[in-house]
């Protein structure tokens, strides 16, 4: 590196660095930068003096203002708990209809229910409650066991095919694997089931499938195929499917059967929280296109 020299254009000294004919000017730091650095240091010093800042051996400097953020947060949490206990007591003591009629309480239900849902239910039903393969869409209003808040609360409490002694029990038979229906009849009933939700198909196959349905499926799904909430059988006439409504998915369902599972939440969530969650789920609506 050469010694610096004075630049003929700017009149400033160079640093002695040169690269491909370009020399670096020894430009001083702008004064405004130094001013802001000084102001920042002064501001930091004031904060160090006023607020808790430096750790000591067994404690820390308290600051001249005596502000204790830990105590402040603790007090805020206690205050929030007191406020929550008041409206939670109202929810616990009222029936579902009375709560739904109270707009203030329902606002609390929506706020708290959303958190409860995301913490406990979103892993299966999704953050927006739209479900996925094997998990029902809770915004569709296509309920397996009924959609009243009372019914939803009971489903949450005991689960489906869970270990609870009062669990709801539901199972789709494996018609193909158990040799109840052969491949041709399964294909026929698949065509018929798809026609129930508006899909066009071969009329002869659909008619044959209707006969297969009448002989094997009406006990659970009903003669009109709208399902039965007392056995958890889904409505086959809408466009909402738990395992998929395409031909392959339906064939697999009929051939191999299905047995969904929902855990019981009694013992994991309090009765009041289950009540809030049931009310929240009952208010969910599908997003508008």
């Amino acid at each position: 590196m050469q010694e610096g020299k004075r630049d003929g254009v700017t009149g400033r000294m160079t640093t002695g660095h040169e690269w491909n004919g370009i020399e670096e000017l020894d430009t001083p730091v702008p004064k405004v930068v130094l001013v802001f650095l000084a102001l920042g240091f002064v501001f930091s010093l004031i904060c160090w003096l006023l607020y808790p800042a430096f750790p000591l051996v067994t404690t820390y400097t308290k600051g001249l203002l005596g502000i204790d953020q830990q105590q402040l947060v603790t007090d805020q949490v206690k205050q929030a708990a007191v406020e929550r206990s008041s409206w939670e007591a109202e929810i616990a003591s009222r029936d579902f209809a009375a709560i739904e009629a109270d707009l203030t309480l329902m606002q609390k239900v929506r706020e708290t229910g959303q958190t409860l849902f995301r913490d406990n239910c979103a892993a299966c039903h999704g953050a927006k409650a739209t479900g996925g393969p094997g998990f029902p869409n809770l915004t569709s209003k296509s309920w397996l066991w009924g959609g009243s808040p009372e019914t939803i609360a009971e489903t949450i409490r005991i689960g489906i095919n869970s270990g609870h002694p009062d669990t709801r029990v539901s199972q789709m038979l494996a018609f193909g694997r158990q040799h109840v229906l052969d491949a041709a009849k399964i294909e026929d009933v698949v065509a018929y089931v798809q026609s129930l939700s508006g899909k066009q198909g071969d009329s002869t196959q659909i008619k044959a499938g209707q006969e297969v349905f009448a002989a094997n499926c009406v006990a659970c799904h009903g003669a009109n195929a709208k399902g039965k909430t007392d056995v958890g059988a889904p409505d086959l006439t809408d466009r909402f499917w738990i395992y998929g409504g395409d031909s392959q998915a339906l064939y697999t369902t009929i051939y191999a059967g299905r047995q969904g599972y929902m855990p019981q939440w009694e013992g994991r969530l309090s009765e009041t929280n289950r009540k809030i969650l049931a009310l929240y789920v009952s208010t969910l609506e599908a997003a508008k296109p």
Side-chain angles (χ1 to χ4, degrees), residues 32-271:
V32 65
V33 174
L34 297 177
V35 170
F36 277 106
L37 285 174
L39 290 174
F41 174 76
V42 172
F43 179 76
S44 299
L45 183 61
I46 293 173
C47 289
W48 292 341
L49 293 173
L50 296 179
Y51 300 101
F54 293 104
L56 303 175
V57 177
T58 58
T59 182
Y60 55 89
T61 57
K62 308 297 183 182
L64 298 177
L65 296 179
I67 296 176
D68 187 338
Q69 290 291 341
Q70 182 177 5
Q71 186 60 46
L72 180 63
V73 171
T74 300
D75 293 340
Q76 290 174 342
V77 170
K78 287 181 179 179
Q79 179 61 31
V82 170
E83 294 176 359
R84 174 166 178 155
S85 63
S86 63
W87 59 259
E88 271 194 342
E90 290 189 53
I91 289 178
S93 62
R94 296 189 189 185
D95 59 26
F96 286 100
I99 298 170
E100 289 178 302
D102 190 319
L103 297 181
T104 302
L105 277 183
M106 284 304 296
Q107 180 62 31
K108 296 293 185 182
V109 163
R110 291 185 181 92
E111 293 171 357
T112 308
Q114 184 178 53
T115 301
L116 286 171
F117 186 90
R118 288 180 175 176
D119 288 347
N120 299 281
C121 314
C124 293
H125 293 285
K128 296 182 179 180
T130 52
F135 304 103
N137 180 346
L138 302 180
T139 70
S140 68
K141 306 303 180 184
S142 182
W143 302 101
L144 294 178
W145 299 91
S148 68
E150 293 86 349
T151 304
I152 296 172
E154 182 65 3
T155 302
I156 294 171
R157 184 180 77 86
I158 62 178
I160 302 171
N161 295 322
S162 70
H164 195 284
D166 300 322
T167 184
R168 300 190 188 281
V169 179
S170 178
Q171 182 172 8
M172 168 79 180
L173 299 178
F175 287 94
R177 193 176 61 213
Q178 296 175 352
H179 308 292
V180 177
L181 298 176
D182 58 25
K185 288 185 177 180
I186 293 177
E187 290 174 358
D188 290 343
V189 78
V190 165
Y192 172 68
V193 169
Q194 288 183 315
S195 74
L196 294 173
S197 54
K199 183 176 181 179
Q200 301 298 316
D202 181 84
S203 59
T204 301
Q205 188 178 38
I206 290 174
K207 183 173 178 58
Q210 185 176 16
E211 295 175 359
V212 175
F213 186 91
N216 297 274
C217 312
V218 297
C220 292
H221 294 284
N224 58 4
K226 289 190 173 294
K228 293 183 179 181
T229 55
D230 57 332
V231 294
D235 183 346
L236 303 180
T237 66
D238 58 25
R239 297 179 182 273
F240 299 103
W241 303 95
I242 299 176
Y243 296 95
D246 59 277
S247 298
Q248 183 58 58
L250 288 175
Y251 187 98
T252 301
T253 296
I254 297 169
Y255 178 88
R258 300 288 188 184
Q259 185 178 36
Y261 171 79
M262 175 176 168
Q264 56 167 310
W265 294 94
E266 187 174 47
R268 305 190 199 187
L269 294 176
S270 68
E271 182 178 357

